[in-house]
Amino acid sequence: MAAEQQIVELLGRSIDPSQQKDAEKQLLEAEKLDRFAITLLTIVGSGGYQQTSRLAAALYFKNFVRRKWVDPEGNHLIPQDDVALIKRELVGLMISSPPSIQSQLGDAIGVIADSDFWERWDTLIDDLVSRLTQDNPQTNDGVLRILHSILKRWRPLTKSDALYTEINHVLDRFVPAFLGLLQNTNEAIEVNANNEPPLKQNVEVLITSIKVLHDLCCHDVPDALVENFDNICILLNNYLVYDNSLLHTDDETEPGQLEYLKSTIWGFLIHVTYMNTEDIERHVGQFLNSTSNFLITVPLDTKYDLTVSRALIYLTTTSMSEKSEMFVQPKVLGNILEQVIIPNIGLREADEEMFEDEPIEYIRKDLEGTDAETRRRAATDFLRKLNERFSDTITTSTMQYVNRYLEAYAKDQSSNWKDKDVAVYLFCSIAALGNVTALAGVRTVNPHVNMIEFFQQNIAQDLISDSSHAILQVDAIKYLYMFRSHMSSEQWQEALPLLARHLGSSNYVVHTYCAIAIERILALTDPKNELVIPRALVSPSSKDMIRQLFLLIQKSSQPAKLQENEFLMRCIMRILMVCREDTIPHADFVLNGLVSILRVIRHNPSNPRFYYYLFESLGALVKHVAHSQPQKFEDALSGPFFECLEQGITEFMPYIFQLFASLLDTTPAATLSENYTKLIAPVVSLALWEDKTNPPALTHLLCSLINKGTSQIIANNQVEPILGIFQFLISRKPTETLAFDLLESCLSSFPAQNLEPYWPEIFKLILTRLNSSKTEYLTYRFTRLYHCLSARQPAAEGGYGADFVARATESLQSGIFPQLYLPIVLPNTAGKFVKPHDRKLAIVSFTRTLTSSTAFAERYAKGWGITCEHLLKMLVDPPTTEGVVANAASAAAASKASGKGAAADGAQQQDEQQSGMAEEGLEDAAQAIGATGFTQLTSCRPVSKDPYPEFYVGSAGAGQQQQQQSARQWVGACLREANQTTGGRIEGFVGARIENAEVRSGIAGVMGG
């Protein structure tokens, strides 16, 4: 009981900002207590505690389950007795809890289901079905919420036998009861039409039932539902036209149950229509009628926005089917434009209020390429989709309305500015074919309109004039933003200064949209991956643009307000990435500005996207400028970085570790300064590594520390703790690839004698991992490690070599080396070593095996011949398409699991530098921000250095002009030298050990030069 009271007190303190950090640390300690999770559930279910304490306990339980339910291998981390008790009690507790607590416990059940359902929790569905009732809607809704939290996991999953087995497990046990529940709920709504409390309770059950129905049909309409699908569709259509004054709300802004019910139904219909199943086809007509009638009659109040947007999205989905012909009948099309599209595209009073009072929210909803469901977006997408199918008819009809609204604006520009806004939106809707993408904007333009001419005649004046209404200025900026890919470099040289001047606008939306447009335009590249707007055009004005952006960001000194607008920080990031070394003259100004922002927001990191772009900006500055002033950068950044680490600002830690690593990588110093030396002790302590967001960044940092601080690490006896980190990483699937990164760094930096005592245990750990979890990427990394060892000089000369690997592995198990070399190393080298640096490594490894290995010369005669064959393949055959694809797929999967971005080869890095940044990588990182896990700073990705610059692989190109020989020439020279020093042994082996005459001839040709 004392522990329970202590936890309640800590939970209360954890929601007090002034005590939060200390309370969270104590709660982490309390997690070590016996039955901690059970105690949390006891608090949740106790009526003796305040609602806030129970809710805090439910929230903490959910987060505890996310962190501590299973390890990366799926093994439970808490005692089995606790696991069984939680599963037994959790369902009933959730059902009996208030809605706010139900939400948290439902999420917790979903987390548990991720690892345990269905095979380790095969009684769950039967338990839930047994709890459904005839007359208790609250209980029924609780059961359905639990089901939805479990089944919604299916929606994004790829079809597989395992998934369908799980789906069938649920269908067999649940569908009969579910169909009965739908019927009972419908009857209860009819019976209680004039009785508000039970009416609302049963409508809530119906809403959750439709969500579950969506889950059940997320991959296909199952056979168990097909025979009842007509009745389900009739029921759904009835509720699309259903109305009851008891469900109306007085609030004009907040949706009520009726709106949520209809939007949920349209969400389901969108999905099944998109699947294009014949089960829905025969009902499309009635759904279209109900949807059209709703859109024509629904008021413009904002509480209907979600419902209207879903209804419009449904029309958009049906416009791709055969039923779409009805939309282009002259009378129907006129009605659609006048009564459906234009009213929902036009600005409402509520939109103007949001523009003035909540500008950042206005931007996030309005911005093209986002997922926001708004009336404007949905109406625009509907018109675009119709235009894709019936371009001539739609373009002609829409342009009549565009011209009509432009004429109205021309008559009274001051009063009729909204007419021009509608005209611009309508034109953009038909001018853009396909979606507006985040990377390039509009990719394809309607050939029936002149996009440039429309801009010159109707848009440009709003970009130039200060008297235009602010919303029309935004329209002009958005026009450039949308059609940016269709303007030439010359046109941009004229337009960019006009655009940049709006950074000085006092209107929040105008200057923010300007920053958004500039950032996207500067990222544009041509088919050669060169910037459309060259760096030389941007650099002269870069300092002024950054200064203005700093002023806009720092208008408020409050942490939350200062970091509200991530679009401004993203624009700074892009300018720095494009200008690169041109930033050196004003590096102090930029660095100080970024650091001052960091010092403010560290007190309350509330916007993950903002501080991601802040750290990317610092990363770009470090990457391109720090080499010119290494000490200045170290002094400026080490202070605030160490302060953040000491204060335990976990949100910043992975970024700070990456930036420290990048600073180390760029500094010309050969040893570690005091700032970096004091990082070693905490970095080699396991405490930091246990947070799953840290290992990728810590691995990069530790590798950099090893590279520059080899002597300090050896002197301080820190090699063994580093190998302890390797052991920690190799034991977990999400971090096993990081373990190899760390080991390769140790191999390349530490003298062989410092690692020698540890190799038997290292190989034991790796082979155990290969035996228990043999994935494609794991075998690739093992193969690469083999080559890293084999390619080094023989052990007799103070290095390693193939003999060392054979001896070390054979010490663990006699006869194991051939079992590793023949079926793992050789096939993986030929199939997966597709990167130039990998191929160089393998070529050197094979060559030194042939020329220097005693074991291959004396014991593995057959292996010597097979190695010749594989070496010849590496020299003669380019990587296969299948190998490239397979390697990329397995590397991507491993990088995703570990959370790290793959190191870039030199050529790839050069391309990225040319374009300012690898844009798709940046977009992927930006999309992942805020999600659980590690976010790679694209500007700080480790770069793979060429291990053997003395020769090139593949065809000689511009990049190989300084390299004197090809791989074939280098190998030939090595074989000839070895043949001479061994008295012709290599030639003798070629004749005696290579069975294939073609391979013999090929190797002889290589040796002959």
Side-chain angles (χ1 to χ4, degrees):
M1 190 64 182
E4 185 178 312
Q5 291 290 345
Q6 178 192 6
I7 292 171
V8 170
E9 180 187 344
L10 289 174
L11 289 169
R13 288 167 52 197
S14 71
I15 57 179
D16 178 355
S18 64
Q19 305 180 70
Q20 183 179 10
K21 291 286 185 184
D22 183 58
E24 287 176 349
K25 288 180 181 178
Q26 293 186 56
L27 281 167
L28 286 173
E29 284 298 312
E31 289 180 8
K32 300 174 184 176
L33 297 172
D34 289 340
R35 298 172 67 81
F36 175 76
I38 305 300
T39 303
L40 286 175
L41 290 183
T42 302
I43 296 167
V44 173
S46 173
Y49 295 115
Q50 293 183 352
Q51 178 73 5
T52 52
S53 298
R54 296 174 62 195
L55 179 58
L59 178 60
Y60 200 93
F61 176 79
K62 175 186 73 174
N63 293 329
F64 175 80
V65 165
R66 280 181 175 157
R67 290 184 288 108
K68 294 293 182 73
W69 187 257
V70 291
D71 65 15
E73 305 298 324
N75 303 308
H76 290 125
L77 293 172
I78 62 176
Q80 284 301 313
D81 288 346
D82 288 5
V83 169
L85 183 58
I86 288 169
K87 289 180 180 178
R88 193 163 57 246
E89 300 296 330
L90 188 53
V91 170
L93 179 58
M94 180 195 159
I95 290 171
S96 62
S97 295
S100 58
I101 293 176
Q102 274 191 349
S103 175
Q104 304 302 326
L105 296 183
D107 288 344
I109 291 172
V111 173
I112 294 171
D114 277 338
S115 63
D116 288 22
F117 185 76
W118 63 282
E119 292 177 323
R120 292 196 294 189
W121 201 0
D122 58 358
T123 60
L124 177 59
I125 301 301
D126 291 330
D127 182 13
L128 291 170
V129 169
S130 71
R131 296 175 185 270
L132 292 173
T133 71
Q134 293 284 330
D135 55 3
N136 191 330
Q138 182 178 357
T139 297
N140 292 341
D141 193 53
V143 170
L144 291 169
R145 285 176 184 272
I146 293 174
L147 273 162
H148 178 53
S149 70
I150 298 167
L151 307 187
K152 68 183 178 183
R153 301 175 302 119
W154 296 343
R155 296 191 186 188
L157 298 181
T158 304
K159 295 179 180 180
S160 67
D161 291 342
L163 174 62
Y164 273 55
T165 300
E166 181 177 321
I167 291 174
N168 288 330
H169 170 83
V170 174
L171 293 172
D172 291 344
R173 289 158 177 77
F174 177 62
V175 166
F178 177 64
L179 293 172
L181 177 65
L182 273 179
Q183 183 178 343
N184 291 340
T185 303
N186 180 47
E187 292 172 356
I189 291 172
E190 292 177 359
V191 169
N192 292 287
N194 299 313
N195 191 354
E196 185 172 351
L199 172 67
K200 289 187 172 181
Q201 289 176 345
N202 281 286
V203 168
E204 198 63 39
V205 173
L206 183 59
I207 292 171
T208 315
S209 297
I210 298 167
K211 293 178 182 178
V212 172
L213 178 65
H214 191 150
D215 299 332
L216 295 173
C217 299
C218 63
H219 289 278
D220 200 357
V221 178
D223 292 341
L225 289 173
V226 166
E227 62 185 50
N228 291 281
F229 205 70
D230 286 344
N231 292 331
I232 291 173
C233 287
I234 292 170
L235 181 143
L236 294 179
N237 189 63
N238 288 341
Y239 282 102
L240 284 182
V241 299
Y242 179 79
D243 193 19
N244 189 318
S245 60
L246 294 179
L247 299 176
H248 293 179
T249 62
D250 296 329
D251 193 331
E252 295 180 354
T253 59
E254 287 298 319
Q257 273 190 317
L258 204 54
E259 289 72 54
Y260 281 121
L261 173 61
K262 293 183 179 184
S263 62
T264 304
I265 293 172
W266 271 307
F268 171 72
L269 294 178
I270 291 165
H271 170 71
V272 292
T273 303
Y274 183 76
M275 288 197 302
N276 198 25
T277 65
E278 59 183 25
D279 305 293
I280 196 71
E281 269 298 314
R282 54 183 171 273
H283 297 282
V284 168
Q286 63 174 342
F287 288 134
L288 282 176
N289 288 333
S290 301
T291 303
S292 301
N293 290 335
F294 168 79
L295 289 170
I296 290 171
T297 58
V298 66
L300 293 174
D301 297 347
T302 56
K303 71 177 179 181
Y304 301 110
D305 284 2
L306 176 61
T307 320
V308 169
S309 67
R310 289 279 177 88
L312 284 165
I313 294 169
Y314 174 67
L315 290 185
T316 304
T317 308
T318 58
S319 70
M320 296 182 282
S321 69
E322 295 178 1
K323 299 286 184 180
S324 59
E325 298 285 348
M326 64 171 284
F327 292 126
V328 291
Q329 296 173 13
K331 185 176 180 181
V332 174
L333 180 57
N335 288 337
I336 288 175
L337 284 168
E338 290 189 7
Q339 298 180 316
V340 174
I341 292 175
I342 291 173
N344 288 300
I345 279 181
L347 280 171
R348 302 165 299 171
E349 184 178 344
D351 299 319
E352 293 181 68
E353 290 175 356
M354 181 178 287
F355 184 93
E356 296 294 338
D357 302 334
E358 299 177 82
I360 193 67
E361 188 65 22
Y362 177 92
I363 293 164
R364 287 178 181 145
K365 286 187 173 184
D366 183 63
L367 188 61
E368 288 281 356
T370 65
D371 294 327
E373 292 184 355
T374 65
R375 290 185 185 232
R376 270 195 157 188
R377 174 72 42 74
T380 297
D381 289 346
F382 179 39
L383 185 54
R384 279 182 188 154
K385 191 59 66 176
L386 288 176
N387 192 45
E388 286 178 22
R389 299 224 35 203
F390 313 103
S391 184
D392 288 349
T393 304
I394 297 297
T395 301
T396 301
S397 298
T398 304
M399 284 305 299
Q400 292 174 359
Y401 287 94
V402 169
N403 293 328
R404 184 188 305 174
Y405 280 100
L406 287 175
E407 290 169 4
Y409 169 72
K411 292 177 181 176
D412 188 345
Q413 296 186 4
S414 176
S415 300
N416 296 342
W417 63 268
K418 288 185 184 180
D419 290 307
K420 183 173 183 180
D421 175 72
V422 171
V424 172
Y425 257 87
L426 285 173
F427 181 84
C428 291
S429 299
I430 59 168
L433 295 181
N435 295 326
V436 181
T437 65
L439 291 177
V442 175
R443 293 188 181 274
T444 307
V445 173
N446 185 345
H448 302 297
V449 299
N450 190 322
M451 180 269 296
I452 297 296
E453 182 181 89
F454 188 85
F455 173 78
Q456 292 170 340
Q457 294 179 357
N458 301 291
I459 305 290
Q461 62 197 54
D462 295 319
L463 202 62
I464 298 169
S465 173
D466 292 327
S467 60
S468 296
H469 193 282
I471 289 180
L472 294 184
Q473 291 179 349
V474 169
D475 288 345
I477 295 169
K478 277 186 65 180
Y479 194 93
L480 293 177
Y481 164 82
M482 287 178 61
F483 297 103
R484 58 188 180 273
S485 295
H486 297 274
M487 293 178 64
S488 66
S489 178
E490 293 74 20
Q491 288 170 328
W492 274 123
Q493 290 184 34
E494 295 180 13
L496 187 61
L498 294 177
L499 188 60
R501 65 188 286 272
H502 287 282
L503 283 176
S505 171
S506 60
N507 184 277
Y508 190 105
V509 180
V510 172
H511 66 237
T512 300
Y513 252 116
C514 181
I516 292 167
I518 289 173
E519 190 277 325
R520 290 289 75 200
I521 291 160
L522 294 185
L524 280 176
T525 56
D526 62 19
K528 296 180 180 179
N529 204 31
E530 294 180 352
L531 294 169
V532 170
I533 300 181
R535 180 170 53 160
L537 182 64
V538 181
S539 293
S541 58
S542 63
K543 183 177 181 181
D544 291 337
M545 287 194 290
I546 291 174
R547 177 187 285 111
Q548 181 59 35
L549 289 163
F550 276 153
L551 289 173
L552 294 172
I553 290 170
Q554 295 175 304
K555 277 186 175 181
S556 173
S557 60
Q558 296 300 312
K561 187 67 178 174
L562 183 145
Q563 63 192 299
E564 171 189 72
N565 194 332
E566 69 267 18
F567 303 107
L568 302 179
M569 182 53 68
R570 178 163 176 151
C571 189
I572 292 175
M573 174 201 73
R574 179 63 59 191
I575 294 169
L576 295 174
M577 287 178 172
V578 169
C579 293
R580 299 170 61 202
E581 291 84 359
D582 291 353
T583 311
I584 289 175
H586 44 273
D588 285 358
F589 161 71
V590 178
L591 182 60
N592 291 335
L594 294 173
V595 169
S596 66
I597 291 171
L598 174 64
R599 289 188 183 277
V600 174
I601 68 170
R602 66 177 177 165
H603 297 293
N604 179 21
S606 57
N607 186 346
R609 288 182 179 273
F610 182 93
Y611 56 75
Y612 165 74
Y613 296 132
L614 170 64
F615 285 113
E616 280 284 17
S617 299
L618 285 167
L621 211 56
V622 167
K623 181 176 182 178
H624 299 301
V625 179
H627 64 86
S628 66
Q629 312 168 50
Q631 193 59 52
K632 180 174 288 186
F633 270 77
E634 181 184 331
D635 293 341
L637 293 176
S638 58
F641 282 3
F642 277 118
E643 289 168 9
C644 291
L645 295 177
E646 289 164 4
Q647 293 167 15
I649 304 174
T650 55
E651 298 92 337
F652 289 179
M653 284 185 180
Y655 298 126
I656 289 172
F657 295 143
Q658 290 177 77
L659 282 163
F660 266 135
S662 190
L663 275 168
L664 264 174
D665 293 342
T666 56
T667 184
T671 57
L672 297 178
S673 68
E674 182 182 350
N675 282 323
Y676 296 125
T677 302
K678 68 182 182 181
L679 275 171
I680 298 175
V683 168
V684 299
S685 168
L686 274 179
L688 286 173
W689 295 81
E690 288 174 346
D691 184 332
K692 66 181 180 181
T693 63
N694 286 337
L698 284 171
T699 301
H700 183 188
L701 175 55
L702 185 51
C703 291
S704 300
L705 288 168
I706 291 169
N707 181 42
K708 291 286 175 71
T710 304
S711 58
Q712 291 106 311
I713 290 170
I714 293 173
N716 293 326
N717 297 316
Q718 291 170 315
V719 173
E720 189 166 315
I722 288 173
L723 294 175
I725 299 297
F726 164 79
Q727 182 176 3
F728 172 84
L729 295 173
I730 196 68
S731 66
R732 291 159 172 79
K733 187 173 182 178
T735 57
E736 60 189 16
T737 185
L738 301 175
F740 284 96
D741 291 342
L742 180 58
L743 188 58
E744 287 183 17
S745 182
C746 292
L747 176 61
S748 63
S749 298
F750 295 135
Q753 64 266 25
N754 293 104
L755 294 178
E756 185 176 357
Y758 306 104
W759 278 109
E761 184 62 24
I762 290 171
F763 275 115
K764 183 179 179 181
L765 290 168
I766 293 172
L767 296 181
T768 300
R769 192 73 193 165
L770 275 171
N771 188 52
S772 64
S773 179
K774 188 177 179 182
T775 62
E776 281 191 28
Y777 199 69
L778 183 60
T779 56
Y780 158 73
R781 289 310 301 259
F782 172 76
T783 302
R784 182 180 157 82
L785 174 65
Y786 169 82
H787 287 306
C788 286
L789 290 164
S790 174
R792 294 173 72 83
Q793 294 299 328
E797 301 175 24
Y800 295 96
D803 288 358
F804 169 81
V805 183
R807 187 170 59 253
T809 53
E810 291 283 323
S811 70
L812 298 175
Q813 181 182 329
S814 179
I816 196 174
F817 177 72
Q819 298 173 35
L820 296 171
Y821 187 73
L822 296 175
I824 295 179
V825 172
L826 292 180
N828 275 280
T829 303
K832 297 193 176 70
F833 274 47
V834 294
K835 294 180 180 178
H837 294 179
D838 278 356
R839 293 179 74 80
K840 283 189 171 190
L841 179 64
I843 287 168
V844 173
S845 166
F846 284 151
T847 302
R848 287 187 171 155
T849 295
L850 298 177
T851 59
S852 306
S853 170
T854 302
F856 276 80
E858 298 177 357
R859 283 189 288 155
Y860 305 128
K862 183 178 179 181
W864 197 96
I866 297 173
T867 300
C868 277
E869 182 179 347
H870 280 76
L871 174 59
L872 188 62
K873 284 182 180 179
M874 297 291 288
L875 295 175
V876 175
D877 298 336
T880 64
T881 303
E882 293 79 3
V884 173
V885 172
N887 189 56
S890 60
S895 295
K896 183 178 180 181
S898 67
K900 82 179 188 74
D905 270 358
Q908 177 187 344
Q909 181 201 24
Q910 185 178 15
D911 286 344
E912 291 171 4
Q913 289 178 343
Q914 181 66 33
S915 63
M917 187 52 58
E919 192 55 33
E920 291 186 6
L922 182 63
E923 282 302 315
D924 289 343
Q927 291 300 320
I929 298 165
T932 302
F934 169 75
T935 302
Q936 173 72 52
L937 289 176
T938 316
S939 56
C940 295
R941 281 189 304 181
V943 176
S944 174
K945 296 179 181 178
D946 189 346
Y948 302 100
E950 58 267 32
F951 67 88
Y952 61 86
V953 293
S955 302
Q960 285 85 41
Q961 289 175 357
Q962 302 301 317
Q963 297 172 330
Q964 300 301 310
Q965 54 188 337
S966 67
R968 180 188 177 94
Q969 292 168 329
W970 183 88
V971 171
C974 291
L975 293 176
R976 288 193 298 274
E977 180 183 352
N979 190 56
Q980 183 177 358
T981 58
T982 59
R985 186 174 72 175
I986 303 298
E987 283 185 344
F989 284 172
V990 169
R993 296 184 175 185
I994 301 177
E995 298 177 359
N996 187 299
E998 189 175 342
V999 175
R1000 278 199 308 273
S1001 174
I1003 289 293
V1006 172
M1007 289 184 66

